[in-house]
Amino acid sequence: MELNTKLAILERMIGIYDEFLSQFDLACEKYCAHCCSANVTLTTLEGYRIIDHLETNNLIGQLETIARLAHPDRFIPKVSINRMADICARDGDLPEEPMDPEAGPCPVLTDDTCPLYAVRPFGCRCMVSARNCATTGFADMDPFILTVNDVFLQHLEHIDAQGYTGNFADVMGFLADPENRQNYSSGRLGGAPTGLVANQPVFVLMIPPEHRKRIQPLLDQIRSIQPG
């Protein structure tokens, strides 16, 4: 699948997701940055979209900021979400993936606002809460939203199956290299470099029985815009 096709699918999926979220009463608003963590992960497809936005808006200097402020204890995944679903479906053992909740804020966060908000990773977009996290100390998320989030994350990885997943800082650092960007856009990536993990197609979707009927319309929408 050509890169422009993948990017078009990504945009359509974001539109579908935003429309889905509009039916919920959420507390999230501008300057609410409690979930803007250094532990966010994303795919190389999302990272490429962000860099394209940076270049278009003369903000490419943000890449230096990301590299400079990347937290040393940021979360680094050992498996992608589709690999995780695959392991669970086969009753395998998941690797331990320690996460430090005190790893600090996202390296691009400025005065509790995000300069990349329009093209933020899906991992940021899907972190929503019915109540202000500053008051509760945690996100209050409808269980069905959690299921939908997993399904969207799985499909985003599926369309970027030849790419990688990793921490925001590591994916952006990888794509900051023009040669890596060119290899990615040409589909010439090899084995995953240190800090990133290889993506894979969907093997099984993580949908609990009680949500299977309710989520079907969203699945139909997703599958209508992407081949395979």
Side-chain angles (χ1 to χ4, degrees), residues 141-148 150-151 205-217 219:
M141 191 181 299
D142 187 299
F144 184 62
I145 293 180
L146 282 171
T147 295
V148 170
D150 284 341
V151 166
L205 290 173
M206 297 190 292
I207 304 174
E210 64 271 21
H211 292 160
R212 288 174 185 168
K213 183 176 180 179
R214 186 179 176 186
I215 205 172
Q216 191 59 51
L219 286 175

Side-chain angles (χ1 to χ4, degrees), residues 9-24 26 28 120-129 141-153 156 215 218-219 221-222 225:
I9 292 172
L10 172 58
E11 294 290 347
R12 180 64 186 126
M13 288 181 66
I14 289 171
I16 292 171
Y17 184 78
D18 286 350
E19 183 179 356
F20 158 74
L21 273 190
S22 67
Q23 65 185 286
F24 295 90
L26 302 174
C28 307
R120 64 197 184 281
F122 189 80
C124 303
R125 186 177 297 270
C126 72
M127 181 52 70
V128 296
S129 178
M141 191 181 299
D142 187 299
F144 184 62
I145 293 180
L146 282 171
T147 295
V148 170
N149 288 350
D150 284 341
V151 166
F152 270 78
L153 287 166
L156 285 175
I215 205 172
L218 279 173
L219 286 175
Q221 283 186 280
I222 294 171
I225 61 170

Side-chain angles (χ1 to χ4, degrees), residues 148 171 174 194 208:
V148 170
V171 170
F174 172 77
T194 301

Side-chain angles (χ1 to χ4, degrees), residues 31-111:
Y31 304 116
C32 173
H34 305 289
C35 64
C36 297
S37 165
N39 292 326
V40 168
T41 61
L42 76 164
T43 62
T44 37
L45 180 63
E46 296 169 276
Y48 191 95
R49 176 175 179 254
I50 291 171
I51 287 187
D52 185 59
H53 173 82
L54 294 177
E55 290 182 327
T56 300
N57 293 277
N58 197 29
L59 295 170
I60 203 67
Q62 285 286 347
L63 293 176
E64 295 180 4
T65 301
I66 295 168
R68 178 169 51 85
L69 298 181
H71 199 284
D73 295 325
R74 64 191 178 276
F75 173 65
I76 299 178
K78 294 184 179 179
V79 294
S80 68
I81 190 170
N82 282 340
R83 178 58 181 150
M84 182 188 304
D86 190 350
I87 293 171
C88 291
R90 300 175 189 275
D91 293 324
D93 295 323
L94 292 171
E96 291 188 10
E97 293 184 310
M99 179 185 292
D100 180 4
E102 303 298 324
C106 173
V108 299
L109 191 66
T110 305
D111 297 327

